[in-house]
Amino acid sequence: QPGWWHAAIYTAFVAVMVAAAWLSSFPRYRTGIGAMLFLASDLLIFARLGGQIAPALGAALIWPLYFGGQALIAWGVVSTLRSAHPRN
C-alpha cells in the first residue's frame, strides 16, 4: 500500500507508549492492558483502511477497544495516584 510507512512509524510510536505503560509503576493489569487495547484499536483501523478486514468487523471492534483501553489507562493511573496521595 502506498504510504505504508506512515502507519509503520505511527505504530512504532504507539508501541513505545504501550511498553512505557507496561513497564511503569502503574498497575499492569489496568494501565498496561489498556494501552495494548488502544494499540489493537489502531491496528484494526489500519487493517480496515488497507482492506485486510471487513469494514463491519472494524466498526464493531475499533470503538469498544479504544474506549476500553482509554478507560483502563485512566482507571489505573487515577487509582494509583489516589492511593499515593490520599485527601485529608
Side-chain angles (χ1 to χ4, degrees):
Q1 295 286 339
W4 64 269
W5 60 275
H6 294 108
I9 291 171
Y10 175 78
T11 301
F13 278 112
V14 174
V16 169
M17 184 264 314
V18 170
W22 191 264
L23 297 172
S24 72
S25 61
F26 296 112
R28 184 171 293 156
Y29 295 107
R30 285 187 219 137
T31 309
I33 290 175
M36 286 192 292
L37 291 175
F38 175 81
L39 176 61
S41 74
D42 280 2
L43 292 175
L44 285 172
I45 291 170
F46 295 137
R48 183 181 65 180
L49 291 174
Q52 301 301 311
I53 63 169
L57 179 62
L61 294 177
I62 291 168
W63 279 111
L65 287 172
Y66 177 81
F67 179 81
Q70 293 295 326
L72 284 172
I73 292 168
W75 182 24
V77 170
V78 169
S79 65
T80 300
L81 295 178
R82 261 197 193 156
S83 65
H85 304 288
R87 293 181 180 185
N88 293 333

